[in-house]
Each structure stands twice: as C-alpha cells, then as structure tokens.
Amino acid sequence: MKKYLLLVVSIVIFLSCPKDTPKQKEKEEITKELPTMLEKILTKRGVTIAREFYNIGRVEGPYETGLRIKALIIEILGEKYYGAHLIKEGLDYRKDQVGYLDYDEITFLIEALNRIIDKAKVMSNQKCEYTEIYYVSRSGAVFGFCQEGLKQKAFVQVNALEMSLYSLTIPQFAKFRDFVIKTQKNLDSLGAKGWWEQKQKMEEKQKKVVS
C-alpha cells in the first residue's frame, strides 16, 4: 500500500514552468483515475450514508472569501471512513468549491507542506526568474507556492475541476498547514489511527492468503 501511495502523490519542482492550471480535460482524467475513497463512497446510491463534520479552522482571504478545513467521518453499511473536507469559500455559498483527502494522504500532505514552506523560506532572499513548487493530491487538489523575482505567493486548488487557484501569503499558507496537522490529530482522537492500523493489518493478512 505504501509503495502505491508514493506513486500517486509527489512533490514536483519546476523552474520557469507555465503559470496556467491544467486544462479541463486533463483535470477530468485526473479525477476519474485517482479518486479518493471518500469520493467513491459519496457517489454510492441506494444506501444510507452518515457524515460527521468537525470544523478545524479557516484561513481568511480577500472580500470575505476563505479556505476552510474540516475533519470528516463517513459511515456506510456499519463501516467508518476518515478524512478531511476542504472548502474554498466564494462570495456566494453557491460558488463554494469542495475537495476531499483520505486519512492516509493527510500525512503526505503535511510532509509536502513542510517542504514547500521550508523551501519558500530559503528562497525568500534569492532572486529568481520564476519558480513553482507544489503538491498534487490523488483527486487533483493542488497546494504550493510560486516566486517571481523576490515576490512570493502560495496557492491552493481544492479539486481537479476548479479552474482557478486561491492565492495566499506564505504566513497564511503556514497557518493552513497548522490546520491540516490539527485535522489529523482530531481524526486520531476520534479513532482514525486505530482504524487505519487495523485496516493495514487486514490487508497484509489478505496478501499472505493470496500468496
């Protein structure tokens, strides 16, 4: 399982790379090929689904917009699934964009955010033509920062179908990272860690039976 996860998520550093987001068709392919478990469950029909939300924090943006993250537990057919719910709040709630992260991917995201923030600090006094550093989740959410000259800004895109990046300052990006860490701790306190460890053990047993 760990080897698979490392193949679908990565830190990518580009020098002098294009500033535009991927095309709509490419985003749809990403969503189709690499959905989160939470998204798969939420698309099921003919079953009762329960969702528990725990508000963690919100990074305020311009004009009353914001980036919010919540801990999420989904229960279906007696089984629970854990993860994070991302919301990019628009001026109108009908324009909000949402995204999901499975529980196990939160660790990858925290590691990526730490590396990106550390790199931004190192580059803060190093003039460059243009640099982007970002992390792409399984479902196509993007988290990163870019620098042109000495000017830096961070950005977030909560799902693959969203056509615009949400801009943040580096301190705001660091605040979002702290909320992601808090989300993981909150989920662990609600039983996610034990659930994931048990799930891993069951998968290992199944592999041994097959082999």
Side-chain angles (χ1 to χ4, degrees):
M1 175 60 74
K2 291 184 178 178
K3 291 183 179 179
Y4 171 75
L5 292 176
L6 290 174
L7 288 174
V8 298
V9 294
S10 61
I11 288 288
V12 186
I13 299 179
F14 290 93
L15 296 179
S16 299
C17 52
K19 303 179 185 181
D20 296 330
T21 58
K23 296 179 180 179
Q24 182 75 15
K25 184 177 180 180
E26 293 173 343
K27 291 182 177 182
E28 291 175 353
E29 290 176 351
I30 291 172
T31 304
K32 182 179 180 181
E33 294 175 2
L34 302 174
T36 64
M37 180 58 69
L38 297 181
E39 288 170 309
K40 285 182 179 180
I41 294 169
L42 292 174
T43 59
K44 289 184 178 296
R45 299 292 182 266
V47 293
T48 301
I49 299 174
R51 297 191 297 173
E52 298 177 32
F53 295 92
Y54 299 85
N55 189 49
I56 301 300
R58 179 179 184 270
V59 178
E60 294 186 7
Y63 309 108
E64 298 183 358
T65 62
L67 182 63
R68 187 181 297 276
I69 184 169
K70 299 180 180 181
L72 171 63
I73 302 176
I74 298 177
E75 185 171 354
I76 179 172
L77 301 176
E79 185 171 358
K80 290 184 177 182
Y81 297 85
Y82 300 79
H85 185 225
L86 305 172
I87 308 167
K88 193 197 79 172
E89 300 173 340
L91 293 174
D92 186 318
Y93 74 90
R94 290 170 293 187
K95 296 181 180 179
D96 289 355
Q97 294 286 334
V98 301
Y100 299 91
L101 291 168
D102 287 331
Y103 171 76
D104 60 294
E105 192 173 18
I106 295 175
T107 296
F108 289 100
L109 177 57
I110 292 171
E111 292 175 354
L113 295 177
N114 285 334
R115 292 174 185 171
I116 293 169
I117 292 169
D118 289 344
K119 187 64 175 179
K121 291 179 181 178
V122 172
M123 293 183 62
S124 62
N125 59 356
Q126 299 175 1
K127 192 173 182 179
C128 65
E129 184 175 343
Y130 184 79
T131 300
E132 285 182 354
I133 304 175
Y134 58 89
Y135 169 95
V136 183
S137 75
R138 294 176 193 147
S139 61
V142 182
F143 310 86
F145 102 102
C146 62
Q147 180 170 324
E148 188 169 6
L150 290 174
K151 186 178 180 180
Q152 295 182 331
K153 72 174 181 179
F155 53 83
V156 173
Q157 178 179 298
V158 298
N159 62 55
L161 300 180
E162 188 180 355
M163 294 302 292
S164 62
L165 298 173
Y166 190 73
S167 296
L168 301 168
T169 64
I170 301 302
Q172 286 176 320
F173 195 65
K175 185 177 181 180
F176 173 74
R177 183 270 315 272
D178 294 341
F179 286 148
V180 176
I181 294 172
K182 188 176 179 181
T183 299
Q184 185 181 56
K185 291 180 179 179
N186 186 276
L187 287 169
D188 286 345
S189 70
L190 294 168
K193 187 174 182 179
W195 164 82
W196 176 249
E197 291 175 348
Q198 184 63 30
K199 186 179 178 66
Q200 292 294 93
K201 290 179 181 178
M202 290 180 63
E203 290 181 357
E204 288 297 324
K205 287 182 180 180
Q206 291 175 353
K207 289 180 182 178
K208 290 181 180 179
V209 170
V210 173
S211 61

